[in-house]
Amino acid sequence: IDGAAGDYHSMALRKDGTIACWGLNDSGQCDAPDGIFSLVAAGNSHSLGLRVDGTITCWGANENGQCNAPKGVFIEVAAGDAFSIGLRQDGTIECWGSNGFGQCNAPDGIFTQVRAGNYHSMGLRTDGSIECWGNNIAGQCNAPDGPFEQLTACEFSSMGLRENGAIECWGYFSHGQWNPPERVFTQVSSF
């Protein structure tokens, strides 16, 4: 089961693999296509779905080409403000859409996960290190040394789950939302 939240819309993957969307639909970001999906991602005003055959379908706002998904087989998708990211089956990253902060300038190499903040991108390398690119106005791209097991991105901040279950955060933290308790965790998520 998977879900995602954009700026003003939310998505969920049903048990049968179909997508449910709700919230603001001013750009068609809630007009989910038919079909069976394995993952979903929500940007500001666009949405992505990873079909069970590994192809990507996008819908909603497309003023920067964020819905012009490349062909091929992918294993993961992520969406930022007006850009999208796909992790190919071979572990390479492909980005498309707005690139005003370099958020689509994906580094070379092999990755196991990708995430997107509003204007920055993240990838988890096979050795557990995190690489970030794009807007770094608040230090959200200054990832600490690894190893990590998971990562997530928000508007001006980022977070990683260490191998020992501890959470580490970096970037802008205005309201204490990035002061995790000292416990052992198995998953991280942010909006």
Side-chain angles (χ1 to χ4, degrees), residues 8 12 43 49 57 67 77 103 122 136-137 139 148 180:
Y8 299 103
T57 299
C67 285
V77 291
Q103 65 268 38
M122 302 172 66
N136 195 31
I137 193 167
F148 289 90

Side-chain angles (χ1 to χ4, degrees), residues 44-127:
N44 182 16
S45 296
H46 76 290
S47 302
L48 288 82
L50 182 66
R51 292 188 181 272
V52 292
D53 67 0
T55 60
I56 298 172
T57 299
C58 305
W59 59 97
N62 195 32
E63 70 277 359
N64 292 289
Q66 64 266 40
C67 285
N68 299 338
K71 296 189 183 310
V73 177
F74 293 82
I75 58 172
E76 195 169 69
V77 291
D81 183 52
F83 72 100
S84 304
I85 303 174
L87 180 63
R88 290 198 175 272
Q89 196 171 30
D90 66 2
T92 59
I93 297 173
E94 189 151 351
C95 303
W96 59 98
S98 177
N99 195 32
F101 295 97
Q103 65 268 38
C104 285
N105 297 339
D108 293 332
I110 306 301
F111 293 83
T112 60
Q113 293 177 32
V114 291
R115 299 291 182 267
N118 275 14
Y119 306 105
H120 77 287
S121 304
M122 302 172 66
L124 182 67
R125 291 193 177 273
T126 56
D127 67 359

Side-chain angles (χ1 to χ4, degrees), residues 15-34:
K15 286 186 178 186
D16 66 1
T18 59
I19 297 172
C21 297
W22 61 96
L24 182 65
N25 195 31
D26 61 339
S27 298
Q29 64 267 40
C30 288
D31 296 334
D34 293 331

Side-chain angles (χ1 to χ4, degrees), residues 6 9-10 19 22 28 39 45 65 72 74 86 129 146 155 157-158 161 166 171 184:
H9 75 290
S10 299
I19 297 172
W22 61 96
L39 289 172
S45 296
F74 293 82
S129 63
E155 184 174 10
S157 55
S158 303
L161 178 68
V184 176

